[in-house]
Amino acid sequence: MNVVCLLGRLTADVELKKTGSGISVTSFSLAVNRGYKNEDGSYQTDFINCVAWRQTAEFISRYFRKGQMIGLSGAIQTRQYQDKDGKNRTAFEVVVSNACFAGSKADSRADQDKRYRQRQYGRPDIAPSQQSFIPVTAPRWESPAGFEPIPDTDGDLPF
């Protein structure tokens, strides 16, 4: 059985590429801490090469950035190649079949805000309070025709 589950942080922003036949692919490295401390009291980190294809590659490249925590499952794959000196080498990598969010929502929100400030103002260090912008109010939700709320008279509704 060849099953791998990893929880770690991306070491760089993920770049989505396309093969000659138009299939989405991305390769990246995941920093995964070992579950124990070494002699000096610090955790060791393994850097694991990963590759994702098709929708999984698109999902990862769209929603994850450097430093974000990500959960992955997949399988270990080996492949043979020759390096620039003509020596035979073996590469080990995880072929990702599933990916999920593993960090806190607050971490993701702060990262999104930083990327937004970078795109809008060219400086991620400018706080929203230092920026001049027009506040946007959310549109008011109105119930669709024929919808009537269910009265919860005895408090037994689960929501």
Side-chain angles (χ1 to χ4, degrees):
M1 185 178 299
N2 183 355
V3 178
V4 176
C5 292
L6 298 170
L7 182 65
R9 295 189 181 276
L10 291 170
T11 61
D13 283 340
V14 180
E15 182 181 344
L16 185 68
K17 297 179 181 179
K18 299 276 186 177
T19 64
S21 56
I23 297 173
S24 299
V25 63
T26 186
S27 296
F28 54 92
S29 180
L30 196 65
V32 179
N33 285 340
R34 294 185 182 174
Y36 56 89
K37 295 180 181 180
N38 59 17
E39 298 84 33
D40 67 356
S42 62
Y43 288 100
Q44 286 190 301
T45 303
D46 293 307
F47 296 90
I48 300 170
N49 294 325
C50 302
V51 62
W53 296 87
R54 297 177 177 78
Q55 291 88 358
T56 306
E58 292 171 8
F59 172 73
I60 292 170
S61 67
R62 182 176 300 137
Y63 294 107
F64 292 93
R65 298 288 175 256
K66 178 181 178 179
Q68 278 188 292
M69 185 73 74
I70 185 173
L72 304 175
S73 65
I76 295 176
Q77 171 180 285
T78 61
R79 47 186 177 85
Q80 306 294 321
Y81 69 97
Q82 285 188 342
D83 65 11
K84 62 183 178 182
D85 298 326
K87 294 182 182 177
N88 291 331
R89 301 285 184 178
T90 302
F92 293 86
E93 60 193 359
V94 173
V95 179
V96 179
S97 56
N98 292 301
C100 63
F101 296 100
S104 72
K105 202 172 195 179
D107 291 342
S108 295
R109 181 65 184 163
D111 187 49
Q112 289 173 357
D113 289 345
K114 185 176 178 180
R115 285 195 313 269
Y116 172 78
R117 290 191 303 268
Q118 177 68 40
R119 280 194 312 269
Q120 291 299 108
Y121 303 99
R123 293 185 52 199
D125 58 329
I126 298 176
S129 62
Q130 297 170 320
Q131 303 166 1
S132 59
F133 59 89
I134 301 170
V136 177
T137 57
R140 184 181 168 108
W141 183 82
E142 295 185 21
S143 61
F147 173 80
E148 295 201 20
I150 300 172
D152 185 16
T153 57
D154 57 1
D156 67 343
L157 286 177
F159 48 87

